[in-house]
Amino acid sequence: MNLTIARITARGLFGRRRFLLLLPLPLLLVGLALLADALGAVPSDWGPPVLVGLGFAVVLPVMALIVGTGVLGAEIDDGTLVHILAKPLPRRDIVLAKLAVAVGVTAVTVGAAMFAAGLVAGPVRLAVGVTVGAVLGALAYCALFLALSLVTRRPVLLGLLYVLIWEGLLGNLLSGTRVLSIQQYVVAVADRVAGTPLLTGLVSVPVSLVMSAVFAVGATVLAVDRLRSFSVAGETG
Amino acid sequence: MSPERRSEAAGSVECKGVSRWYGNVVAVNDVTMTLGPGVTGLLGPNGAGKTTVLHMMAGFLAPSRGEVLVDGRPAWRNPAIYAQLGLVSEREAVHGFLSAWDFVLASAKLHRLAQPEPAARWAIDLVGLADAQHRRMDTYSKGMRQRARVAAALVHSPSVLLLDEPFNGMDPRQRLQMMDLLHDMGEQGRTVLFSSHILEEVEQVSGTVQVIVAGRLAASGDYRTIRRLMTNRPHVFTVHSSDDRRLAVALMGEASVNGVELDRAGLTVRAGDYGTFTRALPKIARDQQVRVRRLLPADESLESVFSYLVES
């Protein structure tokens, strides 16, 4: 991995307000879990809405969306990407370095929060399960959103549509859409690892693993190809 | 100069029948040019297609037709060319959270130079940014950011250097430094191309000029020849005097005058040659005892100079 690009990407990410404003999201997850526990609620009541409804359905995709579209999209928007691209580097190295930062940041922030919330809700196995789910989700979501930032000028909007409409709305109404829902893969894998009734996977685990890999690899290959043909439009001609 | 910094291969850039269009709009139309060692100015009015040409040379835009080669290799979808090519784009964006030192050093590392630190130090010294090199670049002036970008583009000592409007936003002193720098780069045998819409900038730095107007290559070659073409073209002047009619009659006898038109606004004179006419006018006026109150060149915009070049 290209450490120079990773370092610049990470510094750029942490320097942006949009990202810093999001950091409370994972904290909210832990806070709600602690609050529910302190109020004496039973984990079987608050576990699913907090861990799945908030954690997997909102915190994970939204963090991945902001980070995944930000690692490359911000440099595309402000024009600094040209400095990185005007180097004799395989485009694959650039995409992989940026993806590694995005996955790392998302997995650590969301994974830690999920682990903590999982510990409050149940045994260590549950905490490990939701953390594994978060890491898997971070990989698939970030790869998808990073590719989106090279395919469209409105990656955040499109990403939100995918998360809210496709996964959130259609995923609950039409069972067929679940096969193309990262959220479902995440829940299925977390369910298998955790082995508790708090999580209910609706897609089989092998399908989830294969499809997550398809999302991650497919999106990365697409991103590398788009970056090879990256064009800079003239402003004044 | 550190031992690492020397351009061995003479860089060349070739455009072969290159066109670029966006939908129905043709931005660059059938441009053929070859650039060799030395400084070349890419001159043209705003919107002429200079940036589009530069972006195609730098591999940041695919030609719609034709071929762009850097050192004989296609520029498009070929990152390997950047080992020999440095680009300073017009957009002044830099990673503001980095210092110039971090920025230039990162460039050196991304070029996989064997000794990135000495290379970065050399490049920063070259652009005269050593004093401010450890400050964040978002505290820099426009000219300083520009110099940081030039340092980053030069850190691997490329044989081809492309700069888009490099003098924009620089004060006169920085402008002179940059001109000297480009001049030195050319002297060292590098192929330097910079774009500008200002005639005088090109005049001061480069011997060779490519003039681009409305997407077409209007003229190319030695600066002095083009300059002569530009100054020897017909000029239109508006003259106000104490006796326009009398002056008009006398002016028709002057060889450098092609035509005279008299109306209420005054006298419009079409002269074949700028220098001869402007020298002859005072003499004629004195002989005729006519006082010239105003002499205005009517078509001195750069665009009119360029469009003349296209027509000729």
Side-chain angles (χ1 to χ4, degrees), chain A residues 172-190:
Chain A
N172 289 327
L173 297 176
L174 310 166
S175 56
T177 61
R178 286 174 194 151
V179 187
L180 285 176
S181 162
I182 295 172
Q183 186 193 324
Q184 297 297 335
Y185 314 151
V186 167
V187 176
V189 171

Side-chain angles (χ1 to χ4, degrees), chain B residues 32-211:
Chain B
T32 297
M33 63 166 93
T34 304
L35 306 176
V39 183
T40 303
L42 183 63
L43 182 66
N46 284 329
K50 301 187 296 292
T51 300
T52 306
V53 168
L54 273 167
H55 281 162
M56 285 192 284
M57 287 177 174
F60 280 108
L61 202 57
S64 305
R65 183 182 290 161
E67 230 186 342
V68 181
L69 304 174
V70 174
D71 281 340
R73 291 174 296 178
W76 179 241
R77 278 175 79 100
N78 185 9
I81 61 164
Y82 300 115
Q84 289 304 322
L85 184 143
L87 169 72
V88 182
S89 61
E90 192 194 7
R91 220 170 149 181
E92 54 162 325
V94 286
H95 297 87
F97 50 85
L98 296 180
S99 68
W101 169 255
D102 291 337
F103 181 56
V104 178
L105 182 64
S107 278
K109 285 180 178 166
L110 291 177
H111 275 292
R112 303 213 170 94
L113 298 184
Q115 292 181 301
E117 279 88 6
R121 212 167 295 128
W122 167 81
I124 283 179
D125 283 343
L126 199 65
V127 298
L129 213 53
D131 290 342
Q133 61 179 317
H134 294 299
R135 250 167 57 198
R136 280 168 66 109
M137 287 192 288
D138 49 15
T139 66
Y140 282 8
S141 69
K142 201 174 172 183
M144 289 166 84
R145 276 200 291 271
Q146 179 79 311
R147 281 185 284 157
R149 297 190 315 127
V150 172
L154 279 176
V155 73
H156 59 303
S157 193
S159 55
V160 177
L161 184 62
L162 306 175
L163 307 100
D164 198 0
E165 298 277 355
F167 303 106
N168 268 2
M170 290 196 164
D171 65 33
R173 196 176 53 90
Q174 293 167 343
R175 208 173 273 241
L176 275 179
Q177 280 174 348
M178 180 62 77
M179 284 179 178
D180 285 344
L181 181 65
L182 295 188
H183 193 77
D184 291 348
M185 295 281 143
E187 292 280 288
Q188 288 164 15
R190 291 171 218 267
T191 301
V192 181
L193 178 74
F194 75 99
S195 72
S196 174
H197 60 280
I198 299 167
L199 211 59
E200 285 68 27
E201 287 180 353
V202 176
E203 183 174 18
Q204 285 169 46
V205 186
S206 59
T208 321
V209 186
Q210 307 278 350
V211 182

Side-chain angles (χ1 to χ4, degrees), chain A residues 2 4-5 7-13 15-16 75-91 93 98 224-237, chain B residues 20 22 45-52 55 59-62 76-77 79-83 85 87 89-91 93-95 97-99 102-103 106-112 136 149 152:
Chain A
N2 194 308
T4 309
I5 294 180
R7 210 170 296 133
I8 294 177
T9 303
R11 282 184 69 176
L13 194 61
R16 259 194 303 284
E75 288 184 346
I76 294 175
D77 289 345
D78 67 15
T80 49
L81 185 65
V82 170
H83 298 302
I84 308 281
L85 290 180
K87 303 288 185 291
L89 297 169
R91 280 18 190 168
D93 291 10
K98 298 213 167 255
V224 171
D225 184 66
R226 299 306 304 162
L227 196 62
R228 273 199 196 115
S229 305
F230 186 80
S231 296
V232 180
E235 278 164 49
T236 58
Chain B
R20 170 74 207 196
Y22 298 93
N46 284 329
K50 301 187 296 292
T51 300
T52 306
H55 281 162
F60 280 108
L61 202 57
W76 179 241
R77 278 175 79 100
I81 61 164
Y82 300 115
L85 184 143
L87 169 72
S89 61
E90 192 194 7
R91 220 170 149 181
V94 286
H95 297 87
F97 50 85
L98 296 180
S99 68
D102 291 337
F103 181 56
S107 278
K109 285 180 178 166
L110 291 177
H111 275 292
R112 303 213 170 94
R136 280 168 66 109
R149 297 190 315 127

Side-chain angles (χ1 to χ4, degrees), chain A residues 13-223:
Chain A
L13 194 61
F14 288 110
R16 259 194 303 284
R17 192 177 304 160
R18 198 202 286 183
F19 172 72
L20 295 177
L21 284 176
L22 273 177
L23 276 182
L25 258 184
L27 293 179
L28 177 74
L29 188 69
V30 183
L32 273 181
L34 287 172
L35 186 70
D37 191 53
L39 292 176
V42 228
S44 59
D45 285 342
W46 67 261
V50 170
L51 292 176
V52 179
L54 181 65
F56 284 150
V58 179
V59 178
L60 174 64
V62 169
M63 285 297 286
L65 178 65
I66 299 306
V67 176
T69 55
V71 284
L72 200 64
E75 288 184 346
I76 294 175
D77 289 345
D78 67 15
T80 49
L81 185 65
V82 170
H83 298 302
I84 308 281
L85 290 180
K87 303 288 185 291
L89 297 169
R91 280 18 190 168
R92 189 190 57 231
D93 291 10
I94 298 175
V95 168
L96 288 181
K98 298 213 167 255
L99 182 62
V101 171
V103 172
V105 169
T106 310
V108 168
T109 48
V110 181
M114 291 299 282
F115 186 82
L119 272 187
V120 179
V124 176
R125 195 174 159 197
L126 171 65
V128 172
V130 288
T131 309
V132 169
V135 173
L136 178 79
L139 177 67
Y141 276 124
C142 286
L144 175 67
F145 296 142
L146 191 149
L148 270 189
S149 66
L150 280 162
V151 174
T152 163
R153 288 190 175 190
R154 303 192 187 287
V156 177
L157 180 71
L158 261 172
L160 269 180
L161 286 179
Y162 172 76
V163 171
L164 295 179
I165 306 295
W166 185 266
E167 293 196 330
L169 197 62
L170 297 181
N172 289 327
L173 297 176
L174 310 166
S175 56
T177 61
R178 286 174 194 151
V179 187
L180 285 176
S181 162
I182 295 172
Q183 186 193 324
Q184 297 297 335
Y185 314 151
V186 167
V187 176
V189 171
D191 181 19
R192 166 66 60 88
V193 178
T196 83
L198 289 182
L199 303 169
T200 319
L202 299 171
V203 183
S204 83
V205 172
V207 168
S208 297
L209 290 174
V210 170
M211 285 307 289
S212 298
V214 167
F215 263 87
V217 175
T220 306
V221 169
L222 174 68

